[in-house]
Amino acid sequence: MLVIEMVGRIPEETVEEVRKTADITDVIGEHVQLKKQGRNYFGLCPFHGESTPSFSVSPEKQIFHCFGCGKGGNVFSFLMEKENWTFIQAVEHLAARNNIALPEKSQTVTEREDDGAQRILEAHQWLAKLYHHFLVNTTEGKEALQYLTERGYSRETIDTFNLGYAPDKPDVVATFLEKKGYHPQEMVKAGLLSETDSGGYLDRFRGRIIFPLRNHLGKTVAFAGRTLGEGQPKYLNSPETSVFHKGKLLYNFDLARGYIRKQNRIVLFEGYADVIAAYQADIGASIATMGTSLTPGQAELMKRYSEKVIICYDGDKPGIEASVKTAKELQNAGIHVFIARVPDQKDPDEFIKTEGGDRFKREVIDTSEPFVGYLMRYYKNQFNLQVEGDRFEYLETVLREVAKLERGVEREYYLQELSKEFSLSMESLKEEMEKWKPEANTGTPRHQSWRKANDKESRASSGNKPRRAFHNAERRLLAYMMKDTYIAEVVKQEISASFNIEDHQIIAMQLYAYYEENELMNTSEFLESFSEDRLRNLVTDIASIPLTPEVPEKEIEDYLYQVKREKWKKENTNHLHKEMKEVEKQDPIRAAEIAMQLLQENRGWKSRK
């Protein structure tokens, strides 16, 4: 197979292990916002500009396919196309993501060139283990462990989030890292050590409880340290490095990602403690920003996974103002935003600890309200509605927000609220709102756009011209052959690889060869039989055709008839038509005989059907 040639330095069985472990929906979901429809997921294609989602991902077959541009493949080919990686780089990335060991010699040139970043990443992994060990297994960490336990953190939570403690000794970490082969100056650059005026080296986080900050692959890339006593600053974070960019990452995103996809919502908190408390309250889709304001990049990342975000910040005035600011950033990214209000000006962590997780879910998260409704109440506290000028300014401010709403029913609802409260006509409010309405809201309704992806199978990917009957028959035959070995054997006996389209012949031959070595079809693995992108795209296109669960024998017979008839027409009819045209002037009798032969042959094909 092609895999052996391309992998070279990585054993084929290891590649298969990586392929089986990597879930294509999860991997592609990091780049494309996917929405489930039936058995597949759909989204906007990342390889060409489109406003109507035609990009399909099949978890069952572990393949992707775009009905618009025709690209398709498995998890490896997606990363190769999207990231411009080699096959080996894609395998190595997925192996690292799923903790699968690869031979040392498989390291790529790119990784060797970026050895500095790799060493920093490795140092963080070692140090995260050391800090956790000090917290749970040593006398030095006893006070920190007691503090966390009193705060309500279970041992399971401490282990899940790999919480740690940095002993209040100046040279423990520096010595540890040096024994692991890391130069102190290198670790100063990594933000793990501090250099003294006398030229010595100290642990940056000494005497603090450690919260490891992981990237979206679950690798520790930085730390946040909290003092046990009254020392300042209360929190100390790692500086930005080649592996840590706080404006791009979201705390706990690696653990929350699965919950987010299942629940189709995100709960966004301000701090690490809030996320951990929410996790213990069984709110798994919880994440937080890395101690900064939400960035457009973080908003875009969230949108890829869910269209709904519940903001749950502190209930005090700064928390409310931060909620509004964050909500506007999320709304600009096209996300449906809800606000969860924590009563009595408490923060989420405090509320969960005093009132319990069940009450927090029931009274805070489950009662979250749409952002515009929340905003209307928020702005009422910013304006004096007894003053005419403030009333007009309030109305204009709210109408701007209402105009951004994608769903017409929501816009109508809030306009009616304003109409009742201020005794204004709906017509005048709609007219004013139209001034602020973004062009995006006048496009194709979202529920219609998702439906269109399923209407393209019967048309050629290059345009709207329908395929001929035999062409569709061959495609559907191949689709059933990839689904069922029995059908593949029937087709093999009937027509072997004598399809009318050359690419279909190639696919059929590869399919027969594949079934000689494998009892069942693994579409993702089968794709590696083809070296050309054109053929891989075609295979994923055919594999994406929706089929009936049971074998439709009459349908298969009809497809075989269409293929055979077209084959006969190509081999005989065209030749007879040409001969008839050549002799009709010189030998009318021979021309009539040919015409009769064509008529009889045509009747014969119809009778066979």
Side-chain angles (χ1 to χ4, degrees), residues 5 57 71 105 134 172 211 218 222 224-225 244 273 292-293 310 314 327 343 373 394 410 422 461 486 494 511 588:
E5 299 175 12
V57 180
K71 285 189 184 297
K105 61 182 180 180
F134 271 115
V172 170
F211 295 82
F244 174 55
T292 60
S293 298
I310 300 173
D314 293 355
Y394 168 79
E410 283 187 277
F422 293 95
S461 59
Y486 167 73
E494 287 284 332
L511 195 56

Side-chain angles (χ1 to χ4, degrees), residues 395-499:
L395 283 166
E396 181 180 306
T397 303
V398 172
L399 286 171
R400 286 188 187 209
E401 299 300 329
V402 173
K404 296 175 185 177
L405 294 173
E406 186 175 303
R407 293 180 289 192
V409 66
E410 283 187 277
R411 296 195 297 269
E412 186 83 7
Y413 174 81
Y414 291 115
L415 290 179
Q416 286 181 355
E417 290 283 304
L418 293 172
S419 175
K420 292 174 186 175
E421 185 174 2
F422 293 95
S423 300
L424 296 169
S425 70
M426 288 289 290
E427 289 72 20
S428 62
L429 289 171
K430 285 182 178 179
E431 182 180 347
E432 187 66 24
M433 182 194 68
E434 288 295 326
K435 297 177 183 178
W436 308 107
K437 194 173 178 183
E439 288 183 11
N441 285 334
T442 63
T444 304
R446 193 177 298 269
H447 73 278
Q448 291 181 12
S449 63
W450 288 97
R451 194 184 305 138
K452 291 180 181 178
N454 292 328
D455 297 334
K456 299 184 179 181
E457 195 279 311
S458 64
R459 297 182 178 273
S461 59
S462 59
N464 291 323
K465 184 179 179 182
R467 298 187 183 94
R468 294 178 61 188
F470 82 89
H471 191 152
N472 277 326
E474 292 190 355
R475 285 168 55 83
R476 295 188 70 82
L477 266 182
L478 289 169
Y480 275 113
M481 290 164 69
M482 281 190 269
K483 178 184 177 184
D484 194 307
T485 55
Y486 167 73
I487 297 178
E489 189 60 34
V490 169
V491 174
K492 185 178 181 180
Q493 292 177 6
E494 287 284 332
I495 61 172
S496 185
S498 296
F499 288 82

Side-chain angles (χ1 to χ4, degrees), residues 147-160:
Y147 170 84
L148 291 173
T149 303
E150 290 173 354
R151 289 288 301 269
Y153 288 30
S154 68
R155 178 57 192 269
E156 179 193 354
T157 298
I158 290 170
D159 290 341
T160 298

Side-chain angles (χ1 to χ4, degrees), residues 119-232:
R119 285 175 58 79
I120 290 174
L121 190 64
E122 290 169 356
H124 277 83
Q125 312 320 302
W126 282 116
L127 205 49
K129 292 177 183 178
L130 180 69
Y131 286 148
H132 185 66
H133 169 75
F134 271 115
L135 176 68
V136 299
N137 295 319
T138 68
T139 55
E140 288 95 335
K142 188 175 180 180
E143 183 184 355
L145 184 60
Q146 183 179 348
Y147 170 84
L148 291 173
T149 303
E150 290 173 354
R151 289 288 301 269
Y153 288 30
S154 68
R155 178 57 192 269
E156 179 193 354
T157 298
I158 290 170
D159 290 341
T160 298
F161 288 88
N162 202 31
L163 303 183
Y165 175 69
D168 196 8
K169 296 180 179 179
D171 59 349
V172 170
V173 169
T175 302
F176 172 81
L177 289 172
E178 198 161 9
K179 285 182 178 179
K180 291 294 180 183
Y182 302 100
H183 192 279
Q185 197 62 46
E186 183 183 17
M187 295 298 96
V188 170
K189 182 181 177 182
L192 299 176
L193 299 178
S194 300
E195 189 172 8
T196 66
D197 294 336
S198 59
Y201 299 97
L202 303 174
D203 176 12
R204 178 184 178 89
F205 299 101
R206 64 193 181 280
R208 294 174 182 270
I209 294 173
I210 300 298
F211 295 82
L213 308 181
R214 300 185 300 268
N215 64 17
H216 304 154
L217 300 179
K219 298 292 185 180
T220 299
V221 293
F223 297 104
R226 187 197 188 282
T227 59
L228 267 175
E230 298 299 320
Q232 294 296 325

Side-chain angles (χ1 to χ4, degrees), residues 481-547:
M481 290 164 69
M482 281 190 269
K483 178 184 177 184
D484 194 307
T485 55
Y486 167 73
I487 297 178
E489 189 60 34
V490 169
V491 174
K492 185 178 181 180
Q493 292 177 6
E494 287 284 332
I495 61 172
S496 185
S498 296
F499 288 82
N500 295 283
I501 294 173
E502 185 177 354
D503 285 349
H504 294 172
Q505 296 173 11
I506 296 171
I507 294 171
M509 290 298 292
Q510 292 284 16
L511 195 56
Y512 299 144
Y514 181 85
Y515 279 137
E516 286 179 6
E517 299 180 4
N518 302 274
E519 292 183 7
L520 298 174
M521 167 57 63
N522 180 323
T523 311
S524 176
E525 180 185 41
F526 179 56
L527 283 171
E528 298 303 332
S529 304
F530 304 92
S531 58
E532 297 179 55
D533 289 340
R534 171 180 57 80
L535 288 171
R536 281 199 293 265
N537 292 340
L538 180 57
V539 171
T540 53
D541 185 16
I542 292 171
S544 301
I545 296 173
L547 303 173

Side-chain angles (χ1 to χ4, degrees), residues 554-569:
K554 181 66 179 68
E555 194 177 327
I556 298 299
E557 290 175 7
D558 184 59
Y559 295 150
L560 287 169
Y561 164 82
Q562 295 282 359
V563 175
K564 292 176 181 178
R565 182 168 185 250
E566 183 63 25
K567 192 76 173 175
W568 176 85
K569 284 169 65 178

